[in-house]
Amino acid sequence: MTAAGLAPLLPGVRPAAAPAAAADRPDFTLVRDGAAVDVYVDAADDAAVIRAAGDLRADVERVAAVRPALRHTVPERAAALVVIGTLGASPVVDRLVAQGRLDVSRVRGRWEASVTQVVERPLPGVDRALVIAGSDRRGTVYGVYDTSERIGVSPWYWWADVPVVRRDTVTVPAGPLKRYEPSVRYRGVFVNDEQNLTTWSHRTQEPDKNIGPRTYERIFELLLRLKANYLWPAMHPYSDFFNKHRENPELADRYGIVVGSSHPEALLRNGVHEWEPWAREHPGTDGSAPVYDYTVNPAVISDYWRARARENAVYESSWTLGMRGLHDSALETKYATTVPEKVAVMNDIIADQRRILGEEVGAAAEPQIFIPYKEVLELYNAGVRVPEDVTLIWPDDNHGNMRQLPDAAERARAGGNGIYYHLSYWGRPRSYLWLDTTQLAKVWHELRRVYEHGADRMWIFNVGDVKSIETGLSFCMDMAWDVDRWHADAVEGFLAEWAGRQFGRRHAGEIAAIRTEYYRLAAERRPEFIDRGIFSVVHHGDEAGRRLAAYDRLLERVRAVGAKLPEAYRDAFFELVEYPVHGAYLMNLKYYWADRNALAVRQGRGAGTNRFADLAHAAHAEEVALTQRYNTQVAGGKWDGIVNPYPSQIPKAPGRPTVTRLARQETSGLGVAAEGNETGSARPLSFSSLTRDRRFVDVFNTGFLPVDWAAEADRPWVVLSAASGSLTEQLRLWVEIDWARVPEGVGEATVTVSGAGQRVEVPLRVRHDGERARRRVRGFAEAHGYVSIDAVHADRRVARGGARWRTVRGLGRRTAAVEAVPSTAAAVTGDIAARAPELRYRVWFDGTGTFPVTVFRLPSLDERGHRRLALALDDQPVTVLSGQAVATGNRGDAWARNVEEGVERLTAPVTVTEPGEHVLRLFMVDPAIVVDQIVIDTGGLPAAYLAPPESYHPVFRPEPAPGGGGLDAPGL
């Protein structure tokens, strides 16, 4: 990729309008013939700017193996010069602006904006200059890093080992480039769940510390290259607290990073490490250490906060107000037991903290933030008074669903609103700390909704140990800078652009498609949430096996791309693409085989039971070896300890599954289990000429000695994948229908499997509607006792009242989902059929009856409102469905089930009075509802985790859905 080719890929920048003559100017040359252009920055400019200029010099050296000289005085004579400066802090830059030589429109006076422009004869004796000018210190820094990206240095060059392409000649385009003011003022991360980061830091960066200045330097640089400006540092027991090493806040200020603290860390105090020593040094009158309870020890706690405010007053900081318990625990109030009493205590706490900041920090004590997280949200809603100039930071439910958003009064507050959003989480009901598994389209949906509700002052993302969240973090920072850049149908476009910046444009589209499918599979179930018996291994063509086959195909695509990349890209590709896909696959695979093992025990299999046990443990061993490769071989062992699904002190991903092994017995016998049956064949195999499925019959040995078997069908149009053989363990026999030979109508057939003196009959129920019926059907057709619909496949969409349904690509468990927009629309609670935006689906029913309709929606929340939609059949009365609106934080309840599964199932009955075509109607009641799938059970729907494959539709599903699952393992 050339330098010019990189420029359009920079996030958040715009080519500025320039005179026509500028288009004819040659590119600006930074390096040619082994010589690099000097870099000038005024010595009086901010330390963050001077430091970033040093990074630009290092980046030029990475590209061209020559480091530019750094100047603090203008040379008397130079053919070219890079000029870096901040408006108001660089006399050279200010002079160019005053002379009309540098266009700073939409830059001067803005927050963190910049312009990069080539200026001819900018100074006496200087022929040309590449001028990088910022509205403030970070604006200048971002302009510097934009230039680094334009010459081919990825923000992830160090953190993900993205290689830098070497060139002898390095240029940047002559045309001006502007980075306008960001959509969100403060954009940053919370380094949380950091045991792995601590392990890695201690092993490779600072053996005498557990995350110290050397590690934070790397984090600060990454944040700035991603155009972030804000940090909540590590705070758990196994990491050093940020202010333990006084170089940390000093470095942050020198880099230009604003440092704040998380919801339990009021006024930059880390309660995990700092309260106990403070309490010992400030005992009560009886000599005992005071407890961290403001209703018991307000003076001691106030002094504790004041000491940190005084200590960090000189730095650009963010001050967290309010109070929770030590180490992310709930607020303790011994002498305030009711909610109103706790509200009064919280109001006193905030008033005390504000007084401290006014006295110790003064006007520089901004931003101040209040985070109504978990139990504090209940107190806030009950009447906590937060001063108008304090920013309200709204939390999600820890699983990517915003709990509530600011109302009109809150949006009007001077302090504004922000969010705290999780890409990684430790806690109930399950933790996800290992991989980047939150679907980017879901992140887009929630962040778009947040922004539309006026939460634009601060966005903080929990990124765990930083590694493995590279893609998600990049996307969040892109959106935080320019929230309008990516639209509902363009999230995969971000992935393609981002992959192009890391690996070149040649493979960008395929890598984007791989990541999209990886996120889709995680949306079905995060790999960290895998457990026994989640996915069915007997229904829908082996639901679990179909899923694993999709993972298998995805891994093959990964390997195909990896084989085409130059050797220099292999480490980065492993870290950013291969390890997440392969690791997630293996985490799922070991539990698939464990489930097959458990089923084998119930079915009375013999040698096959042990075979499945071996496969389960082999998949786990392969997963462990894959992680070992990451930590000891990739990038020469650079990442030792940073990636580990099984850390010792925090919640773990599912480990090696328990399996059953049988003692060998010198016996044999024949067993059969047909699809849809755990054992035997009582449930017939169902076939329809519309869906044209294939079904399986598992033939297995109940012992360990070989057994001969044979299978035959009593109808010539039944096709079997095999007719006979000898088996020691098991095989999967596939049954299909030759539709050209089947008579029309409903028929039956039988497949008989025999061996070891046994005969097992497997009944088939076959419905051939004929081509006339296929042509007659205009919508989704019932088959097998159900209708399955992808919500995006509406036959008609009706917009009403300024609201509508739109498609969001890459969202949900299939290829797309539909959401009701705008997110700020008013709820429709009366005359719904006439006033609410509507989705219409034609459905062909074979019979009559009252059938349950289940709508799969994404589990978004609104703790001050409702999450409702409505449905009706034809012109029948509308039924309103109410979803879970509150995050309980519990295990095992409706909210927990919804976030584990990534969907909420809402069910209501419809009555079909006559066979034939009907219209299923779905209505928005509350805005921002997202619908993924719809399933109608007409009497044959089996219990399974996923919705069935989509039903026949002449437009959306004219061909059979992908065939039955199962993996191609020998003998299976």
Side-chain angles (χ1 to χ4, degrees), residues 889-900:
N890 299 325
R891 291 189 177 95
D893 63 6
W895 168 81
R897 181 177 62 253
N898 294 345
V899 298
E900 287 176 348

Side-chain angles (χ1 to χ4, degrees), residues 878-917:
V878 169
T879 300
V880 175
L881 304 176
S882 294
Q884 178 78 17
V886 176
T888 64
N890 299 325
R891 291 189 177 95
D893 63 6
W895 168 81
R897 181 177 62 253
N898 294 345
V899 298
E900 287 176 348
E901 297 183 359
V903 294
E904 181 177 26
R905 295 169 176 83
L906 304 177
T907 302
V910 298
T911 299
V912 179
T913 57
E914 59 182 27
E917 184 180 290

Side-chain angles (χ1 to χ4, degrees), residues 69-84:
L70 178 64
R71 287 181 167 272
H72 294 305
T73 59
V74 176
E76 294 182 2
R77 181 75 186 92
L81 185 68
V82 176
V83 175
I84 298 172

Side-chain angles (χ1 to χ4, degrees), residues 859-874:
S860 56
L861 303 172
D862 185 352
E863 301 204 9
R864 289 188 291 200
H866 304 276
R867 307 308 289 149
R868 299 165 298 186
L869 49 85
L871 62 81
L873 189 70
D874 301 324

Side-chain angles (χ1 to χ4, degrees), residues 361-668:
V361 186
E366 61 176 19
Q368 297 175 28
I369 65 176
F370 178 79
I371 312 161
Y373 184 77
K374 289 191 175 179
E375 79 286 345
V376 179
L377 180 61
E378 179 186 5
L379 300 183
Y380 173 80
N381 287 336
V384 170
R385 296 188 302 272
V386 180
E388 284 289 304
D389 61 335
V390 173
T391 303
L392 295 173
I393 304 297
W394 301 97
D396 69 343
D397 66 344
N398 307 312
H399 293 265
N401 309 293
M402 294 306 300
R403 296 180 63 177
Q404 69 184 48
L405 295 171
D407 59 23
E410 289 158 342
R411 289 195 293 271
R413 301 172 75 262
N417 297 268
I419 63 166
Y420 169 41
Y421 193 88
H422 288 75
L423 300 175
S424 170
Y425 176 62
W426 169 11
R428 296 178 180 175
R430 291 176 186 257
S431 304
Y432 55 104
L433 311 174
W434 177 37
L435 299 176
D436 173 16
T437 53
T438 302
Q439 204 167 32
L440 292 196
K442 177 184 175 70
V443 175
W444 178 89
H445 164 72
E446 290 290 329
L447 296 187
R448 184 74 234 180
R449 187 161 70 104
V450 159
Y451 190 80
E452 290 170 353
H453 280 77
D456 61 359
R457 190 63 57 88
M458 182 180 289
W459 286 3
I460 307 131
F461 299 95
N462 188 321
V463 297
D465 294 304
V466 182
K467 285 295 285 182
S468 89
I469 309 290
E470 298 95 341
T471 309
L473 175 56
S474 296
F475 180 67
C476 291
M477 290 301 108
D478 265 22
M479 278 204 72
W481 192 282
D482 187 354
V483 76
D484 294 322
R485 185 157 188 245
W486 304 108
H487 303 289
D489 59 352
V491 174
E492 191 167 336
F494 162 81
L495 285 168
E497 180 181 298
W498 189 80
R501 298 208 302 268
Q502 317 313 318
F503 303 107
R505 288 177 175 156
R506 179 183 174 191
H507 304 292
E510 175 65 356
I511 293 173
I514 287 168
R515 288 292 300 192
T516 298
E517 174 69 353
Y518 161 80
Y519 285 125
R520 186 194 69 78
L521 291 166
E524 292 181 344
R525 188 86 177 186
R526 294 186 195 268
E528 297 93 338
F529 293 177
I530 291 300
D531 207 337
R532 302 297 293 267
I534 300 293
F535 295 92
S536 173
V537 294
V538 300
H539 294 304
H540 303 315
D542 185 354
E543 175 184 78
R546 295 166 67 96
R547 172 175 162 84
L548 268 296
Y551 263 121
D552 196 49
R553 292 191 298 269
L554 187 63
L555 186 57
E556 286 303 310
R557 294 171 67 181
V558 168
R559 288 168 172 158
V561 173
K564 297 174 186 175
L565 289 172
E567 183 64 32
Y569 288 88
R570 296 294 170 84
D571 287 342
F573 188 76
F574 180 85
E575 295 169 43
L576 298 176
V577 182
E578 183 178 350
Y579 180 81
V581 172
H582 199 175
Y585 169 56
L586 293 170
M587 188 68 72
N588 281 270
L589 183 64
K590 67 186 181 184
Y591 277 85
Y592 172 67
W593 293 131
D595 283 346
R596 294 285 300 270
N597 170 258
L599 178 61
V601 173
R602 296 194 295 273
Q603 293 174 334
R605 301 194 191 197
T609 302
N610 294 350
R611 172 71 165 155
F612 291 134
D614 292 342
L615 287 168
H617 284 179
H620 177 74
E622 186 178 353
E623 174 213 304
V624 171
L626 188 74
T627 299
Q628 181 77 357
R629 174 185 167 192
Y630 200 134
N631 288 314
T632 62
Q633 298 177 32
V634 169
K638 173 181 176 180
W639 300 114
D640 188 9
I642 204 166
V643 173
N644 181 7
Y646 314 110
S648 61
Q649 299 180 51
I650 62 177
K652 302 165 181 59
R656 192 171 82 159
T658 301
V659 294
T660 299
R661 284 190 169 84
L662 304 177
R664 179 179 176 86
Q665 297 180 4
E666 300 301 308
T667 61
S668 66

